[in-house]
Amino acid sequence: MSGHYTERRTDSVETTERKKIVFSAIQPTGTPTIGNFVGAIRNMVAMQDDYTCFYAAADLHSITVDRVPAEFRKNVTEMVALLLACGIDPEKSTFFVQSHVSAHAELTWLLNCNTMFGEAKRMTQFKDKSKKHPENVNVGLFDYPVLMAADILLYRADYVPVGIDQMQHVELARNIAERFNNKYSPTFTVPEGVLPKFGAKVQSLADPTVKMSKSDDNPNGYVLMLDDADTIRRKFKRAVTDSGDEIAARADKPGIGNLLSIYAAFTGRTVEAAEKECAGLGYGDFKLRVADAVIAGLEPIQARFADYMRNKDYLTEQMQRGAEAAAHAARKTLEKVYRKMGFIRL
């Protein structure tokens, strides 16, 4: 683990000299969309040089919904390969599969007993998902914000990059950390949720008033990172635009504004520069230009992904290496928690 913190004790007082620590995780529930790439994955890659990063494929979080075991295993493997292909570097970051580090499950139980039912009940995502899947409102769905807190607190994370919809869960992690620290003495770093510093918010191609999501009932609404060129062009050709023929990022042109944001994100331009460059194009030509930019941006990632998927031994090696490094860091925190709570440790 390059660039990791060092610790020393002086007169029984622990002092720490380290880079700030970042924790982030992505659920392996299928191929991410270009919205996930622009809004989250690229930021994860960019943070590696300036922070000590712990990144995980959050497979434990993925089992709150029904899944086919064989497909689940495939999704986890593909997520590992895809994040490596995007630029997550095991030489710079600790990158692992969540379930390979048993401390996540252990700490969750300990934190459950330091979390109030009322504060867990207030989590809005539990309410939303319960309504969406009333046939499978399991305890894990209710409790997964505590698992998320365990994920974060195990690695003494200072910063947790999240979307606005996850900020409430980071606040719960902060509450749990502060309660534990006050009760048992300082143990956990109190984390801070941070929104991405850069990266456009990508909306649905079918309905630009809502966020792009692979759970969209309309498959033309989202573009997956592993979609082939023909599929990407077809989806952009069908993208919803607005009345008139002006290519401008304005509140009354959400469809064109969304396409401009995507084009800017995949070409490295500002939205303003993209607007000037594409001025005068017809909507049909403009949509194809955006499609081609996305295809060009994804092509090298898809090529690297294919190489990794042909080398499963390498993927297994990286999972093993990441699990060992993460477990080492996590175990130190977990043992400290056990001792402070009064458990007898052997």
Side-chain angles (χ1 to χ4, degrees):
M1 295 189 293
S2 62
H4 279 54
Y5 55 80
T6 58
E7 295 182 346
R8 67 172 185 268
R9 289 185 179 272
T10 305
D11 298 329
S12 300
V13 177
E14 184 181 7
T15 60
T16 306
E17 296 176 353
R18 58 175 174 83
K19 288 182 178 181
K20 293 291 187 179
I21 296 173
V22 168
F23 177 86
S24 188
I26 296 181
Q27 290 191 43
T29 52
T31 305
T33 69
I34 60 171
N36 301 133
F37 174 63
V38 169
I41 297 173
R42 288 201 314 184
N43 287 296
M44 292 168 64
V45 174
M47 297 181 89
Q48 293 180 114
D49 290 327
D50 297 323
Y51 300 93
T52 295
C53 297
F54 289 86
Y55 292 142
D59 56 342
L60 291 175
H61 283 287
S62 303
I63 65 171
T64 60
V65 296
D66 289 330
R67 82 224 69 79
V68 178
E71 183 178 327
F72 180 44
R73 283 191 291 270
K74 176 175 175 286
N75 285 344
V76 173
T77 302
E78 288 187 348
M79 180 60 74
V80 171
L82 187 56
L83 289 176
L84 290 172
C86 286
I88 298 300
D89 186 349
E91 298 299 326
K92 296 179 179 179
S93 303
T94 301
F95 176 42
F96 61 101
V97 175
Q98 183 188 28
S99 67
H100 293 169
V101 181
S102 61
H104 289 257
E106 289 184 66
L107 184 59
T108 299
W109 176 249
L110 301 179
L111 296 186
N112 277 338
C113 299
N114 287 276
T115 304
M116 301 301 105
F117 183 81
E119 61 187 347
K121 190 178 179 182
R122 286 194 295 271
M123 297 296 103
T124 56
Q125 284 212 356
F126 170 71
K127 298 174 184 176
D128 294 342
K129 291 184 178 181
S130 297
K131 290 177 183 176
K132 193 171 183 179
H133 302 286
E135 75 289 349
N136 187 27
V137 184
N138 56 70
V139 174
L141 184 64
F142 179 79
D143 194 42
Y144 91 92
V146 183
L147 174 58
M148 182 174 169
D151 297 339
I152 297 165
L153 299 179
L154 273 172
Y155 302 102
R156 304 195 302 171
D158 298 284
Y159 302 125
V160 187
V162 289
I164 191 68
D165 58 334
Q166 289 287 331
M167 194 62 79
Q168 188 186 32
H169 293 163
V170 179
E171 287 300 317
L172 177 64
R174 289 173 57 85
N175 292 342
I176 294 170
E178 289 171 345
R179 180 180 298 119
F180 193 97
N181 290 347
N182 290 334
K183 185 174 184 180
Y184 295 106
S185 79
T187 306
F188 296 121
T189 299
V190 180
E192 180 181 344
V194 293
L195 298 174
K197 291 182 179 179
F198 66 87
K201 183 179 179 182
V202 177
Q203 303 293 93
S204 167
L205 299 183
D207 180 0
T209 65
V210 300
K211 181 181 175 182
M212 181 179 286
S213 171
K214 62 191 172 192
S215 62
D216 193 332
D217 292 334
N218 184 350
N220 291 313
Y222 55 85
V223 175
L224 300 177
M225 290 188 66
L226 297 180
D227 279 347
D228 59 46
D230 288 342
T231 299
I232 293 172
R233 287 195 185 94
R234 184 180 70 251
K235 290 183 177 183
F236 274 100
K237 282 180 181 179
R238 296 175 179 175
V240 169
T241 52
D242 312 290
S243 59
D245 57 6
E246 186 182 4
I247 295 177
R250 296 200 311 256
D252 63 337
K253 299 182 78 68
I256 292 298
N258 185 39
L259 294 175
L260 279 168
S261 293
I262 294 171
Y263 184 71
F266 276 88
T267 59
R269 294 165 171 76
T270 63
V271 172
E272 292 76 14
E275 192 176 318
K276 290 179 181 177
E277 178 187 327
C278 299
L281 289 177
Y283 280 179
D285 289 337
F286 172 55
K287 289 194 284 187
L288 284 177
R289 182 172 293 195
V290 179
D292 287 341
V294 172
I295 291 166
L298 294 179
E299 189 175 38
I301 294 172
Q302 292 178 351
R304 289 192 294 269
F305 170 81
D307 287 341
Y308 285 130
M309 289 302 292
R310 285 191 290 267
N311 191 349
K312 299 291 180 58
D313 289 343
Y314 176 79
L315 294 179
T316 300
E317 177 186 329
Q318 293 308 314
M319 285 189 273
Q320 180 70 40
R321 178 185 178 190
E324 290 173 357
H328 177 73
R331 182 55 58 176
K332 289 194 292 184
T333 302
L334 184 64
E335 287 300 321
K336 186 182 293 186
V337 172
Y338 273 128
R339 288 196 304 272
K340 290 195 175 186
M341 291 183 69
F343 287 90
I344 296 172
R345 308 305 292 160
L346 300 179

